[in-house]
Amino acid sequence: MIWKGLGVPVTTGVPARYPEWTVRITIFAIVLGTLATVASVYSGLKIAMVVPASAAAVTLGMAFKAWRGSILEVNIGQIVTSTIGSSAAGIIFTVPALFILAKGDETLTQFSLWGAFAAAMAGALIGATVIVPLRR
């Protein structure tokens, strides 16, 4: 990109268009979000405290940027990772409550873990697809 400031062309070395949403950052964010969710669920069930995935996503995203990427890709990766990681809190605190309720009431015996998993994945997917266009 050439910037003509003060009448002198200056080459910044920065490309004119950054890649924003790519397949590699999507895969990176999904893998990182899954690992953060596993850690968050374990700590949430063990000590009742959820670890946010946002800081880890930015830190590892910057390593991804240094390897081959742009700052916009890191931003998208952080959003997707945080969305996936934050959906774990809803699962951590509601699924055990549903099991406790099912023990006392025979009408709640139709609870399905696969249904809860599908609802959590749908919530994370909807959250990621809604928040990315809204940030513009």
Side-chain angles (χ1 to χ4, degrees):
M1 182 171 153
I2 297 178
W3 180 67
K4 295 181 181 178
L6 301 174
V8 179
V10 177
T11 304
T12 61
V14 179
R17 172 99 172 103
Y18 290 117
E20 188 170 358
W21 192 301
T22 59
V23 173
R24 68 177 180 222
I25 196 62
T26 305
I27 292 171
F28 177 77
I30 289 172
V31 169
L32 186 60
T34 304
L35 292 175
T37 301
V38 168
S40 183
V41 167
Y42 179 78
S43 69
L45 292 175
K46 198 73 167 167
I47 60 174
M49 185 176 118
V50 180
V51 178
S54 184
V58 170
T59 306
L60 292 174
M62 286 300 171
F64 177 82
K65 178 187 167 300
W67 174 57
R68 247 183 85 195
S70 70
I71 193 70
L72 296 176
E73 283 182 314
V74 173
N75 190 9
I76 295 292
Q78 190 250 343
I79 289 171
V80 173
T81 303
S82 295
T83 305
I84 293 171
S86 65
S87 66
I91 295 297
I92 291 169
F93 301 121
T94 56
V95 171
L98 290 173
F99 274 117
I100 291 170
L101 287 173
K103 286 289 186 183
D105 190 5
E106 282 75 30
T107 60
L108 294 174
T109 57
Q110 298 299 322
F111 177 71
S112 169
L113 279 176
W114 289 110
F117 175 75
M121 291 302 292
L125 183 64
I126 290 170
T129 43
V130 167
I131 199 67
V132 169
L134 285 179
R135 70 176 186 82
R136 291 178 181 253

